[in-house]
Amino acid sequence: MTQELEEVKQNVIKCTKCDLCKTRTNAVPGKGNFQSEVIFVGEAPGRNEDKNGEPFVGVAGKKLSIALENAGVSRDDIYITNIVKCRPPNNRVPSTVERNTCQDFLKEEISIIKPKIICVLGNTAFKSILGGSEITKFRGKVVRKNNQLYFLTVHPAATIYNQEFVEVLNNDILKLFQIVKELKNNKKVLIDIEYAP
Ligand code: URA
């Protein structure tokens, strides 16, 4: 891990900027390969993540790992983080204040890793990063905003209760890594949605 990323991690661990620090067991910094071409961004830690201090280690994490394996990608190859780094009580959706208070950590992670593309997992990340809603309508699409590419897909937790989303997530992740391959080969990637600067 780079020194800079280690600093972000330590700052997440000791953060007391919002009330989630009072109810958390552990803060959950991002984890993975700092040389990754892609950063995955989820919503917030759940019970298992709060217990272990690592992102996506519960049931939703298992679903994500399966979709990655299906695309021939290991968890060690990529970097995974969340919009909010501490578990909201009872897994409620993080509030606007919590999301805004936490946003600098994600900005720092992105500016250190400089991913070719950011995979937005689910509605909370979609709303926080791109101001979007209804991810199911936009999933599978490539977005460009301020010269950064994003790929939109459903949250892995959505696949737990809805079998239809298993295939959706698997196919989207396959498409994502096809795009990553094209980007690595300096090929032109089709942009579905362009944000005005
Ligand atoms: N859901 C998320 O959004 N993030 C995690 O780390 C775990 C579950």
Side-chain angles (χ1 to χ4, degrees):
M1 197 187 280
T2 67
Q3 179 68 31
E4 284 172 295
L5 209 49
E6 182 58 33
E7 268 170 37
V8 176
K9 183 177 170 181
Q10 293 311 322
N11 289 335
V12 167
I13 289 171
K14 61 176 189 229
C15 181
T16 54
K17 282 192 275 184
C18 83
D19 281 351
L20 293 182
C21 71
K22 296 180 188 161
T23 49
R24 76 182 177 215
T25 311
N26 291 294
V28 180
K31 187 168 187 246
N33 186 342
F34 68 89
Q35 291 173 316
S36 177
E37 318 276 6
V38 36
I39 294 184
F40 285 77
V41 186
E43 177 177 300
R47 183 190 296 275
N48 286 292
E49 292 78 18
D50 174 71
K51 206 166 143 192
N52 293 288
E54 291 186 13
F56 281 97
V57 289
V59 188
K62 184 110 190 81
K63 301 285 183 188
L64 178 60
S65 296
I66 292 169
L68 288 168
E69 271 166 38
N70 181 57
V73 176
S74 144
R75 283 274 291 247
D76 297 336
D77 296 335
I78 55 146
Y79 187 86
I80 309 181
T81 192
N82 283 300
I83 292 291
V84 166
K85 310 306 196 219
C86 295
R87 182 192 185 203
N90 302 317
N91 294 351
R92 65 164 167 75
V93 175
S95 69
T96 308
V97 170
E98 289 156 0
R99 291 191 282 113
N100 290 346
T101 309
C102 219
Q103 69 182 355
D104 283 350
F105 289 131
L106 178 61
K107 284 188 183 152
E108 287 164 13
E109 290 170 295
I110 294 169
S111 78
I112 295 165
I113 296 171
K114 298 184 181 60
K116 288 200 182 340
I117 193 160
I118 294 171
C119 184
V120 174
L121 298 168
N123 268 318
T124 297
F126 188 27
K127 185 174 169 185
S128 302
I129 299 174
L130 296 166
S133 61
E134 297 189 87
I135 192 108
T136 47
K137 285 194 186 159
F138 295 99
R139 51 139 288 276
K141 294 196 188 300
V142 176
V143 176
R144 185 163 57 193
K145 184 185 177 188
N146 296 335
N147 242 359
Q148 173 69 59
L149 292 183
Y150 299 87
F151 181 79
L152 310 177
T153 191
V154 295
H155 193 287
T159 68
I160 300 170
Y161 302 106
N162 190 338
Q163 270 304 110
E164 280 174 32
F165 285 132
V166 173
E167 210 180 323
V168 167
L169 181 67
N170 283 348
N171 288 341
D172 280 354
I173 298 296
L174 276 171
K175 180 176 176 183
L176 168 66
F177 283 98
Q178 185 58 40
I179 292 168
V180 170
K181 201 166 138 193
E182 286 165 15
L183 289 169
K184 269 168 127 173
N185 292 331
N186 291 320
K187 288 213 181 121
K188 267 224 151 84
V189 166
L190 193 75
I191 312 291
D192 298 299
I193 304 169
E194 186 88 57
Y195 277 62

